[in-house]
Amino acid sequence: MIKIGILGYGNLGRGVESAVVQNPDTELAAVFTRRDPESLKINSKTAKVLNVSDIENWKDKIDVLIICGGSATDLPVQTPKYAEMFNVVDSFDTHAKIPEHFENVDKAAKKGNKVGIISVGWDPGMFSLNRMYANAILPEGNDYTFWGRGVSQGHSDAIRRIEGVADAKQYTVPVETALEAVKACKNPELSTREKHTRECYVVLKEGADSKKVEAEIKNMPNYFADYDTTVHFISMDELKQNHSKIPHGGFVFRCGKTGLNKENNHIIEYNLKLDSNPEFTSSVLVAYARAAYKMSKEGQTGCKTVFDVAPAYLSPKSGEELRKTML
Amino acid sequence: MIKIGILGYGNLGRGVESAVVQNPDTELAAVFTRRDPESLKINSKTAKVLNVSDIENWKDKIDVLIICGGSATDLPVQTPKYAEMFNVVDSFDTHAKIPEHFENVDKAAKKGNKVGIISVGWDPGMFSLNRMYANAILPEGNDYTFWGRGVSQGHSDAIRRIEGVADAKQYTVPVETALEAVKACKNPELSTREKHTRECYVVLKEGADSKKVEAEIKNMPNYFADYDTTVHFISMDELKQNHSKIPHGGFVFRCGKTGLNKENNHIIEYNLKLDSNPEFTSSVLVAYARAAYKMSKEGQTGCKTVFDVAPAYLSPKSGEELRKTML
């Protein structure tokens, strides 16, 4: 059994806890929290709940620590710190800062003779993998990534910060005609506005001016100004009833050409439709925790990304079983 | 530059030749044939054409030999034989015999300190990879693979063997309603007949009995009897004009559940639409030739499948570039 530790018990941490139950070769050993452990109710009957200050005592009792913090401030500190003591996996998703994060985790993991796998999930993660495989196979072509239909936490938060807004959910939605043009191998050039629309469901505070809120959302730079945005004002009840889930997904395409005269078109498409973004991400994290465990057992050390992990490491099956049943 | 050799110059070999041109870090060194080399016109201006009997003299002049023979009788002999002398890649696709082929190639490659990557292409190959990744991520769920719309060489050949048939092309076509049910996460149980239909375009010899030919096709066991099959009789001109390409493709789905109460559904879909089946397969072969080269440089030996090859090996980009541009 691979003993898993979870650091941080939010949506992602809870997702890891439930994914561990679905994987017969993993078990949850402990959940570490910055809160008072007494205040935390977890679903597992057997795992311990501890304050993060106790984590060093668990060095030999945990095979892989899955770090479930946020990318903005938690992971840049936590992953290098704990990569020296544990094999770790994180879902660091600030694309521009991945090279720096990689270096920091690599140094720490090598110092502690551990494996650290970073930026695991679906984007970065499975989407990155599919971009990379498709580019290696079809060197001449165009890449397209669409996100949605799904909830963007960042955009929902941005709306909530507007004066007069009680709560909000924002869905990112791929533009159907753009998707169709890509699937038809038309290799379109698409502006930001042509790729995605933004749908906002907003609950106003009493007395707030809906016209003003709507204008403020639609003109918000970076978040909404470059998109066709629709704003729906709804009641808190409706928000809770119809918009409490965190679905997401998206599409990765590569349209490439082969042949001596580039006469043949090929489209590689990967797409995800996810009822729960955090639970899917957690499921990917647990598969890569298995990989970290196996790679560490083999004596590998340092920082890895999904590009560096041979697929077989993710599976509980042996190479022989995989060749027999999945090849 | 990675020096590539091609053994066998059919559709696949020609595809490898043209893929090598698209990959800036590969060059074609030689094509080996069982025919008289004088009789073979290749497209490359610089590569040598040689009889396969000369191949041993090229041991030090080729980095990877891509073996482009057939799975029935060529590859079971050729790949183990040449894996002792060269890093090799093949597209062995007889699923049931992969374990045996793996053992034979593994023994030979280890003896020669070479890397042999077998069963490379899209199925087995990219489809296998996607099945494996998706199963590792979503341990509870159902797998679905659909093939087509595309030309099945085996089924076309089976029709051509019928008395009175001058030529024929057979398309395997996924059943649209079955695809839709899978995409809608209905987890249908599908019989063979419910998954694919077969479309046949047949040119008759003069005086042949079309009713008899049609009945013979539709009742052919294994090939057609279990499917809804349509037969279109056309002229040789029409066959040449409209059915001379070799398109193919298909879909791999995994529909899985997560959550403490399995309340969330997720669908992972990978699909390919290929204008030229052999050229796409060849493009995958060349990417894995790069992997074989890099793995061999690192001192790895033995037989590998797509499950054993870390994705980064397929790319001409460095780890640093990949993290910066594709993660």
Side-chain angles (χ1 to χ4, degrees), chain A residues 32-298:
Chain A
F32 300 96
T33 175
R34 286 177 291 202
R35 297 177 253 176
D36 171 9
E38 295 293 320
S39 73
L40 205 66
K41 271 263 163 297
I42 69 169
N43 290 301
S44 163
K45 302 265 184 285
T46 52
K48 295 268 191 303
V49 182
L50 298 150
N51 188 273
V52 66
S53 58
D54 289 328
I55 201 167
E56 294 205 31
N57 302 323
W58 284 72
K59 272 191 201 178
D60 302 320
K61 291 176 232 163
I62 282 175
D63 295 312
V64 187
L65 181 69
I66 301 180
I67 308 183
C68 298
S71 293
T73 55
D74 298 334
L75 299 177
V77 178
Q78 291 174 337
T79 312
K81 181 171 176 185
Y82 298 113
E84 216 180 305
M85 306 176 211
F86 298 97
N87 297 314
V88 296
V89 181
D90 82 14
S91 62
F92 185 76
D93 67 358
T94 314
H95 291 258
K97 293 190 176 167
I98 286 173
E100 185 188 336
H101 189 56
F102 182 92
E103 292 306 325
N104 294 337
V105 175
D106 194 50
K107 225 175 287 172
K110 280 180 177 155
K111 202 169 159 194
N113 285 316
K114 299 291 180 187
V115 169
I117 310 183
I118 62 161
S119 301
V120 168
W122 59 276
D123 196 4
M126 299 313 294
F127 272 20
S128 325
L129 266 184
N130 276 280
R131 281 189 285 263
M132 205 233 84
Y133 273 117
N135 272 268
I137 295 168
L138 297 173
E140 296 182 51
N142 292 312
D143 293 305
Y144 297 92
T145 301
F146 292 87
W147 294 274
R149 185 179 190 257
V151 172
S152 162
Q153 219 59 57
H155 288 80
S156 302
D157 289 345
I159 300 172
R160 280 188 212 106
R161 285 191 295 265
I162 293 173
E163 206 189 306
V165 171
D167 203 349
K169 269 282 169 82
Q170 192 268 185
Y171 296 88
T172 305
V173 186
V175 174
E176 201 56 47
T177 52
L179 274 179
E180 291 311 319
V182 171
K183 287 183 188 184
C185 230
K186 290 182 182 162
N187 285 292
E189 284 199 34
L190 298 166
S191 67
T192 299
R193 189 177 299 274
E194 286 166 335
K195 288 185 73 185
H196 297 94
T197 57
R198 299 201 174 276
E199 268 176 32
C200 313
Y201 293 83
V202 181
V203 182
L204 291 174
K205 285 182 186 160
E206 235 186 86
D209 178 348
S210 68
K211 287 266 176 285
K212 205 175 146 226
V213 168
E214 181 166 346
E216 205 167 327
I217 293 172
K218 288 186 170 176
N219 297 316
M220 197 185 296
N222 302 319
Y223 285 87
F224 294 99
D226 299 333
Y227 298 85
D228 289 338
T229 301
T230 52
V231 179
H232 307 273
F233 293 103
I234 59 174
S235 68
M236 189 60 93
D237 279 355
E238 205 181 329
L239 190 83
K240 285 199 171 130
Q241 197 164 346
N242 300 334
H243 304 282
S244 63
K245 285 205 164 194
I246 318 172
H248 219 314
F251 302 79
V252 172
F253 293 94
R254 183 155 178 90
C255 308
K257 288 178 182 300
T258 66
L260 286 173
N261 304 306
K262 320 267 180 256
E263 65 275 30
N264 290 313
N265 288 310
H266 306 279
I267 306 182
I268 303 173
E269 174 182 347
Y270 180 78
N271 79 59
L272 296 172
K273 287 187 200 75
L274 314 174
D275 273 0
S276 164
N277 182 354
E279 283 181 11
F280 187 81
T281 301
S282 305
S283 298
V284 183
L285 284 167
V286 172
Y288 276 92
R290 177 182 294 118
Y293 172 79
K294 290 192 197 176
M295 292 168 91
S296 174
K297 280 266 172 212
E298 285 182 10

